[in-house]
Amino acid sequence: MNQFLAIVLFFITSLGFAQTATVYGIVKNNENQLLEDVNISFLTKGTKSNISGFYSLEIPANQEVELIFSHLTHQKLNKKVNLKPGEKLKLDLTLQTTTENIPEVIIETKKDNVEGITNIKVETIKNLPSANQGVEGVIKNIALGTSSDNELSTQYKVRGGNYDENLVYVNGIEIYRPFLVRSGQQEGLSFVNPEMTSNVKFSSGGFQSIYGDKLSSVLDITYKKPEANALTTELSLLGGSLTLEGVNQSRKTSAIVGMRYRDNSLLVKSQDILTNYNPRFADLQAFISHQFNKKWNVNLLGNIAYNNYNYIPTARRTKFGTLAEPLELVVFYNGQENDKYLTSFGAIHFQHITNPTEMNWRFDFITSIFNTQEKEYFDIEALYNLGNPNTDAGTDEYGTSESIDELGVQIDHARNAIDALIANVEFKGQWKKEANQIQFGIKYQRENIKDRLIEWQVVDSAGFSLRPPTHDPNLQPYVPFEGPIVPYQYLNSSNSTDITRLTGFVQWNKKYHWNKNEMQFNVGLRNHLWQLYDFLGFTLSPRAQITLKPHWKKDVIFRLSGGNYAQPPMYKELRNPKGDVIADVKAQQSYQIVAGTDFDFKMWKRPFHLTSEIYYKLLTDLNPYTLDNVRIRYAADNNAIAHAYGLDFRINGEFVSGTESWFNFGFLKTEESINGQKFIPRPSDQRLKFALLFQDYVPSMPNLKMYMNLVYNTGVPGGSPTYADPYDYADFRLNDYKRVDLGISYILKDAQNKSNSKWLHPFNEVSIGAELFNLFDMQNAITNTWVRDIYSKQMYSVKNYMTGRILNVKMRISL
């Protein structure tokens, strides 16, 4: 009897099992990236895809089952299947993003909105007309809270911070910048190659603990992994680039190599100073990826850049003053500047997935090394003259200067050099189960910097040398002077510095539902331990984000983020104005809170996206600095406090059908108190910003496109003369920065526009275009030259203007 019951039970159980089937597969997005957290459901049953995009679901057999594939940031997809008992069906799917696809750009996805990140399509970067085309040029205009008054520089300020407060990552690897650059025209090329880039993300503050220790922002770049062989070249009057892409037959190994060359002569020669300018900026980059198996892959990233800057000024004429009392500074130069920068970088990144089908664990092993060898040599003699321009338009001498007075001679000398080596190893891990995710990491870094600083400046008039205010004054010819002749400025130091750092982070992310509302939060903690000589520094940085997406008909997301953002000193922040290294400089602290909203809506039956953020920062243990063009020199003393607050708005969408345009507005106020004195505007206190990137095309000729880049920034503080008290010049500001760049391009062939011309058949893309930089030839000042009349003891501030109107032509070809 027992045997009979066992046999019956066995057949019943087998029959039950035989009435089911299995559906499994991989889910990707429309950029061919694996998609996790996809809900696959039918009736009341379901599952989720893991970080490898894999899912597996058991369904009833012998009946039609409708599977629903849904994701927070992608469009829902329904699939009907009818399987036999025991059958297994592999069903790989691609989900489209919830945003509208536009030929040039894609509006940022909801996932990035949740994290408070601006996602910029690479095509926007390539199309934007800019004197310094690249990722950073777009960041200055499109990203919230960013600003720049220097079209020759790739650097930017974010919400009251300076250029050294911004993080940059490429494929999860931190990138470093040269040390000695003092002006935008010396910079050359930034590290990020837009032709090699597949994704750009940017956060203006309140970012997560997975990112490093800086006060202001993070730029997260992803380089592409080619899926086919390709060649792309771009040529213009400012330089050119060549990009090669390849993949092997097994598709396990891919490589992309980029070469760039740039010549800024066209831009620099449009300034007030007449020069013989011979710059050479070039770099070579490679990104190689190999998939060993489903569990292991490796990425290699390498870069070498060489900048050779030869600058021979000859003369300068700059008008200033008022309509009632116009003046003109006339300068004649002797000498030259020769700078060389050789930068190399290499990184290797191993990634391990413990179980590709379940993928609860992922581990990353990264090691990188960065070396920069920089030399800054110059000997320049400047003969300063001050004249009164003829303002009588009815004379032949109109505009020429009369009664020129010789103010004096200034000689600047430098023999500066630095050799910096930064090496690190890093381990990161990630564990994920259902709606919970934990990320953690640890990084060890060694920095060796050898630095020589030799600079002096002599100011002379009619044989009388101006002494620094720290020395006894020269009262000749009234009182005989027997003291030594010393330069007005003199720096001479040599340092060899070793810094050791140990950093780590842990972060918990969770997604859940509350009364049909979607919520997501993350809480994290970073630590940073560093040692220089006998000084040991330590910081803890807690950070948090919370996001709410209400169950409304309108597509709205609310965000709140903040925490403590600490910035331990790098070498530049440790060196004081005399060139001495101060070991006990503490980390600068920024306590931030950021509240924001994202709203997707339709207008004129076309998609639009509105982002708004309001923020407040309390900054303590600040290291005061002076800003000259892009050179920052720190006091190496934590003797200041500051605050910054403001709001930012951005709307982007199809103002013209089929293209995307961006309107950006920001308000900022930031002030600092040094040594307990009253609050004064910080060097980056730029109150208002308005930026516009507008795209259009000719309806009857859609291949003829127009791109306009407009920027208006209110003036920033203009600095102060050497040895002057900055509080005496706190209310002095530069003029507002106003600039319009216009680009026109004609597409002969691309993926959307085919051509019947036989000569175009070998090419995938061909386009030609022209760019007119500074369309209205606006004079924008970046700094002041402070000219001293030794006789009258009067100081004149003469603005140093940026580039004028320039025409550039370019061509792009892809095979």
Side-chain angles (χ1 to χ4, degrees):
M1 183 66 178
N2 290 336
Q3 291 178 343
F4 175 76
L5 290 176
I7 293 172
V8 171
L9 182 62
F10 172 78
F11 277 107
I12 294 174
T13 305
S14 301
L15 183 62
F17 280 119
Q19 299 306 310
T20 63
T22 303
V23 179
Y24 69 98
I26 302 291
V27 186
K28 297 183 179 180
N29 62 16
N30 50 357
E31 294 182 356
N32 204 35
Q33 297 172 335
L34 300 174
L35 199 58
E36 61 178 319
D37 285 336
V38 177
N39 292 298
I40 303 99
S41 62
F42 74 96
L43 299 179
T44 59
K45 296 183 179 181
T47 186
K48 284 187 177 182
S49 64
N50 60 28
I51 199 167
S52 298
F54 178 82
Y55 73 94
S56 180
L57 180 65
E58 192 175 82
I59 63 173
N62 291 327
Q63 61 177 284
E64 187 176 75
V65 175
E66 184 174 17
L67 300 175
I68 302 174
F69 295 78
S70 61
H71 190 270
L72 176 64
T73 65
H74 292 75
Q75 295 178 9
K76 186 183 297 184
L77 183 64
N78 293 9
K79 284 288 184 180
K80 294 181 179 180
V81 294
N82 192 336
L83 304 182
K84 298 177 181 179
E87 184 179 353
K88 292 184 177 181
L89 173 66
K90 184 179 182 183
L91 184 60
D92 295 337
L93 296 172
T94 299
L95 298 187
Q96 301 295 320
T97 58
T98 55
T99 55
E100 298 289 333
N101 288 326
I102 304 172
E104 266 68 27
V105 289
I106 295 179
I107 301 175
E108 58 195 54
T109 66
K110 289 188 178 65
K111 180 180 178 181
D112 299 316
N113 298 341
V114 167
E115 297 175 356
I117 287 175
T118 299
N119 193 319
I120 303 170
K121 190 65 176 176
V122 177
E123 289 302 319
T124 307
I125 300 167
K126 296 175 182 177
N127 293 331
L128 179 73
S130 172
N132 211 327
Q133 191 178 39
V135 172
E136 295 86 350
V138 178
I139 293 296
K140 294 176 186 180
N141 293 348
I142 289 180
L144 295 177
T146 57
S147 65
S148 175
D149 299 322
N150 191 338
E151 62 267 16
L152 292 175
S153 174
T154 60
Q155 303 189 61
Y156 47 86
K157 297 168 287 187
V158 181
R159 290 177 174 169
N162 67 33
Y163 302 132
D164 294 334
E165 298 177 5
N166 305 311
L167 286 162
V168 179
Y169 290 90
V170 173
N171 287 73
I173 303 164
E174 187 173 356
I175 304 301
Y176 304 93
R177 301 181 63 88
F179 289 76
L180 290 181
V181 173
R182 67 172 65 204
S183 67
Q185 62 197 45
Q186 295 173 326
E187 280 189 28
L189 298 161
S190 75
F191 183 95
V192 181
N193 187 333
E195 294 292 343
M196 299 174 64
T197 302
S198 66
N199 196 22
V200 179
K201 294 184 178 182
F202 183 82
S203 173
S204 303
F207 45 86
Q208 300 178 14
S209 298
I210 59 174
Y211 295 115
D213 300 298
K214 295 287 186 181
L215 299 181
S216 293
S217 74
V218 57
L219 173 61
D220 192 355
I221 302 292
T222 303
Y223 273 2
K224 67 174 70 171
K225 293 183 179 180
E227 297 188 359
N229 298 328
L231 181 150
T232 303
T233 183
E234 185 170 303
L235 299 172
S236 79
L237 298 180
L238 295 173
S241 67
L242 177 67
T243 308
L244 302 172
E245 303 177 38
V247 62
N248 70 346
Q249 277 190 332
S250 66
R251 308 190 69 80
K252 289 186 175 182
T253 303
S254 64
I256 181 169
V257 178
M259 294 167 279
R260 293 181 293 171
Y261 171 80
R262 185 171 176 87
D263 184 343
N264 277 344
S265 299
L266 189 68
L267 295 165
V268 174
K269 290 179 179 179
S270 69
Q271 296 178 291
D272 282 349
I273 300 178
L274 300 177
T275 64
N276 294 314
Y277 182 59
N278 186 27
R280 294 290 183 270
F281 305 138
D283 81 338
L284 172 66
Q285 285 192 51
F287 177 61
I288 303 170
S289 180
H290 178 73
Q291 185 82 35
F292 293 107
N293 50 49
K294 292 182 178 180
K295 294 185 177 182
W296 283 95
N297 68 79
V298 62
N299 297 320
L300 303 173
L301 177 63
N303 172 74
I304 184 167
Y306 178 69
N307 292 359
N308 187 4
Y309 176 83
N310 292 310
Y311 181 73
I312 306 174
T314 58
R316 169 182 178 175
R317 306 182 75 97
T318 305
K319 291 181 173 65
F320 65 104
T322 64
L323 290 175
E325 296 183 13
L327 296 171
E328 182 178 35
L329 178 69
V330 182
V331 187
F332 299 101
Y333 296 97
N334 285 311
Q336 65 175 330
E337 177 176 356
N338 181 252
D339 304 331
K340 288 182 170 62
Y341 307 89
L342 178 61
T343 303
S344 54
F345 175 85
I348 183 169
H349 177 186
F350 288 95
Q351 187 177 86
H352 175 64
I353 299 174
T354 55
N355 188 342
T357 58
E358 298 297 332
M359 227 324 279
N360 289 332
W361 287 98
R362 186 181 75 188
F363 301 106
D364 296 88
F365 308 87
I366 304 170
T367 181
S368 70
I369 186 167
F370 168 82
N371 176 244
T372 180
Q373 300 173 37
E374 306 172 27
K375 293 196 304 181
E376 184 184 49
Y377 289 4
F378 57 79
D379 291 282
I380 297 178
E381 178 188 45
L383 175 63
Y384 288 86
N385 304 275
L386 193 64
N388 301 105
N390 187 317
T391 58
D392 187 353
T395 64
D396 294 337
E397 291 78 22
Y398 174 72
T400 60
S401 291
E402 303 170 343
S403 63
I404 295 179
D405 299 322
E406 293 186 4
L407 295 183
V409 177
Q410 177 175 305
I411 302 175
D412 291 284
H413 167 92
R415 293 293 184 271
N416 301 329
I418 192 168
D419 187 341
L421 181 68
I422 302 175
N424 56 63
V425 292
E426 182 178 9
F427 168 74
K428 293 190 290 188
Q430 175 180 294
W431 174 84
K432 186 165 186 178
K433 187 173 183 180
E434 297 177 351
N436 292 279
Q437 181 187 43
I438 295 178
Q439 296 169 276
F440 55 91
I442 187 170
K443 181 179 180 180
Y444 174 79
Q445 181 165 298
R446 288 275 294 175
E447 303 167 15
N448 174 258
I449 296 97
K450 296 179 176 64
D451 177 31
R452 182 188 70 201
L453 178 64
I454 302 175
E455 286 187 27
W456 52 257
Q457 182 187 83
V458 173
V459 181
D460 178 88
S461 179
F464 297 95
S465 178
L466 183 65
R467 295 166 61 79
T470 54
H471 289 65
D472 295 332
N474 185 347
L475 302 178
Q476 294 187 75
Y478 309 104
V479 177
F481 181 76
E482 298 179 352
I485 296 176
V486 296
Y488 186 62
Q489 295 184 63
Y490 181 74
L491 299 173
N492 190 340
S493 69
S494 181
N495 303 299
S496 181
T497 307
D498 291 290
I499 306 172
T500 303
R501 302 180 190 272
L502 183 65
T503 61
F505 74 89
V506 61
Q507 179 171 293
W508 174 38
N509 307 304
K510 183 174 178 61
K511 302 175 184 178
Y512 60 98
H513 287 79
W514 171 61
N515 292 335
K516 295 185 179 181
N517 302 304
E518 297 180 35
M519 298 193 69
Q520 179 175 324
F521 72 86
N522 69 75
V523 179
L525 181 69
R526 289 193 66 87
N527 76 281
H528 194 129
L529 178 71
W530 76 96
Q531 182 176 15
L532 172 60
Y533 307 138
D534 295 329
F535 179 78
L536 192 66
F538 180 75
T539 64
L540 279 176
S541 301
R543 307 173 188 177
Q545 289 183 338
I546 185 168
T547 304
L548 170 65
K549 187 178 186 304
H551 185 61
W552 297 348
K553 290 183 178 180
K554 294 184 177 180
D555 196 350
V556 182
I557 292 177
F558 298 96
R559 296 189 312 274
L560 182 67
S561 62
N564 169 235
Y565 294 80
Q567 181 168 318
M570 296 290 286
Y571 178 75
K572 286 173 62 177
E573 296 154 79
L574 296 167
R575 193 178 72 177
N576 69 11
K578 295 180 180 179
D580 302 322
V581 173
I582 309 301
D584 60 354
V585 176
K586 295 184 292 185
Q588 301 181 86
Q589 307 283 340
S590 175
Y591 301 90
Q592 304 180 16
I593 184 167
V594 182
T597 62
D598 287 277
F599 177 36
D600 287 318
F601 61 98
K602 296 279 187 176
M603 186 165 60
W604 308 311
K605 298 182 179 180
R606 297 195 290 268
F608 286 85
H609 181 79
L610 175 65
T611 299
S612 60
E613 288 188 353
I614 185 170
Y615 58 90
Y616 178 81
K617 299 181 183 181
L618 174 64
L619 302 108
T620 62
D621 293 326
L622 280 190
N623 191 346
Y625 64 90
T626 59
L627 179 63
D628 181 9
N629 203 304
V630 299
R631 182 182 68 172
I632 298 173
R633 284 196 167 171
Y634 292 91
D637 190 0
N638 302 99
N639 61 338
I641 60 173
H643 57 254
Y645 58 86
L647 52 90
D648 294 301
F649 295 95
R650 184 184 63 231
I651 183 171
N652 54 291
E654 291 191 43
F655 289 92
V656 175
S657 179
T659 66
E660 184 179 22
S661 298
W662 305 65
F663 293 84
N664 205 336
F665 171 79
F667 166 78
L668 161 73
K669 184 175 183 179
T670 179
E671 297 176 312
E672 65 184 357
S673 169
I674 304 174
N675 289 324
Q677 301 180 75
K678 70 175 183 178
F679 280 89
I680 60 173
R682 301 190 74 197
S684 55
D685 182 41
Q686 194 156 54
R687 295 296 171 88
L688 295 176
K689 168 195 172 178
F690 176 78
L692 163 67
L693 169 58
F694 188 77
Q695 303 188 67
D696 200 354
Y697 59 90
V698 178
S700 59
M701 299 176 62
N703 288 3
L704 183 61
K705 301 179 182 294
M706 183 277 291
Y707 312 93
M708 184 175 67
N709 181 26
L710 181 150
V711 179
Y712 172 81
N713 297 328
T714 54
V716 294
S720 58
T722 306
Y723 299 118
D725 185 349
Y727 275 78
D728 295 336
Y729 293 83
D731 297 326
F732 182 78
R733 288 180 177 264
L734 297 172
N735 293 338
D736 297 348
Y737 182 89
K738 304 176 287 289
R739 185 179 177 91
V740 177
D741 297 325
L742 182 69
I744 303 291
S745 71
Y746 185 76
I747 300 172
L748 298 172
K749 182 182 179 181
D750 66 5
Q752 287 80 34
N753 301 279
K754 303 301 180 181
S755 175
N756 295 323
S757 300
K758 291 184 178 180
W759 71 275
L760 289 174
H761 285 178
F763 305 106
N764 294 324
E765 178 185 351
V766 179
S767 65
I768 56 175
E771 296 171 321
L772 194 58
F773 302 134
N774 199 356
L775 177 64
F776 300 109
D777 201 22
M778 306 298 294
Q779 284 193 313
N780 295 307
I782 181 65
T783 56
N784 284 303
T785 294
W786 298 94
V787 181
R788 180 185 178 96
D789 185 350
I790 292 183
Y791 295 111
S792 66
K793 305 287 180 73
Q794 184 175 355
M795 276 290 219
Y796 296 100
S797 64
V798 184
K799 293 179 174 59
N800 299 314
Y801 291 109
M802 296 301 296
T803 60
R805 184 191 294 119
I806 299 164
L807 176 65
N808 180 42
V809 295
K810 63 180 184 179
M811 178 176 64
R812 179 181 175 84
I813 298 174
S814 178
L815 294 172

